[in-house]
DNA sequence: TTATCATATGAACAGATGAACATATGATTG
DNA sequence: CAATCATATGTTCATCTGTTCATATGATAA
């Protein structure tokens, strides 16, 4: 059976009102979804991912990171600021230098899950 | 006086050559890191996060998604293409309609970890 | 103090990106 | 067949983003 075809969308929706309602109930609030997207946005840059993976093993200063990754000090500093803003890294100051490290286990877990997804795709498709 | 912004770097590196070496050994290849960043980039958009969370509960057609999230059909379709390209959603066609669902458990796990990070921050900071 | 080092910041430019509009494709119905 | 529906795609455009250059800040050493 078919419902009215309003200008607002397809006729199918009405048939699945229950499913749609259930989905709406389970959806996190819009603001939370924005924050979640902002978090992943921080992971979504090769330079920042490199920095995070470099910090997987040990804390490093800005200059070490720059040399290690073949980046300028400025670029690293800018990205560290972003990472710090997202609470993905913590830092301590020691004299002239600033040492950065991963903030917590979430960062490792998120990177690990992402890596699993990427490498599984590679294993499947060549 | 202009600072040296090349990768030549600070004097500190030599002191920690062992650490740097260890980090370099553990680093995934550059291409993998780019793929990882590209994966997270897909998660890093509010519209796509909304779509993924809507698909947490049930598979939905494009039109349902559009109405559910208050988006145009075009916008949803474009983003679904991106999600499909990253293998985050799978789809099946049924007549005129295309039903989309989350591709695998990785997607749920990544979203879950991200959500945990976001909500923990909120719990800590108000 | 001055000089130098490590890092951070501000401005500007190039490239990426998401949304809207119009249109195309592919399936179903009459 | 033509008409309609659900979805997909191409183009344009405004905005966002990352890098570089120039400079500032803050700490240390001479």
């Amino acid at each position: 059976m078919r419902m009215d075809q309003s200008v607002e969308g397809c006729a199918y929706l009405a048939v699945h009102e229950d499913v749609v309602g259930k989905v709406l109930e389970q959806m996190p609030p819009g603001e939370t979804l924005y924050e979640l997207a902002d978090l992943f946005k921080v992971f979504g840059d090769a330079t920042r991912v490199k920095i995070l993976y470099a910090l997987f093993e040990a804390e490093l200063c800005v200059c070490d990171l720059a040399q290690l990754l073949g980046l300028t000090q400025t670029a690293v500093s800018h990205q560290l600021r972003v990472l710090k803003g997202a609470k993905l890294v913590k830092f301590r100051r020691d004299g002239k230098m600033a040492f950065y490290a991963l903030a917590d286990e979430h960062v490792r877990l998120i990177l690990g899950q992402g890596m699993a997804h990427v490498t599984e795709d590679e294993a499947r498709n060549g």
Side-chain angles (χ1 to χ4, degrees), chain A residues 17-64:
Chain A
E17 257 177 4
D18 52 338
V19 176
V20 171
K22 194 174 170 187
V23 169
L24 279 173
E25 281 175 23
Q26 301 280 346
M27 286 276 285
E31 193 188 343
T32 303
L33 293 174
Y34 273 96
E35 291 174 26
L36 190 56
D38 283 339
L39 172 66
F40 286 122
K41 206 172 293 183
V42 177
F43 284 97
D45 176 77
T47 298
R48 288 192 290 267
V49 166
K50 285 178 189 172
I51 291 174
L52 291 173
Y53 255 103
L55 297 177
F56 234 84
E57 283 299 311
E59 68 170 12
L60 292 167
C61 69
V62 177
C63 183
D64 282 353

Side-chain angles (χ1 to χ4, degrees), chain A residues 12-13 18 21 36 57 59 68 72 76 96 108 119 121:
Chain A
Y12 186 75
L13 181 66
D18 52 338
L36 190 56
E57 283 299 311
E59 68 170 12
L68 199 62
T72 65
V76 172
K96 283 185 278 191
R108 290 176 202 275
T119 53
D121 282 354

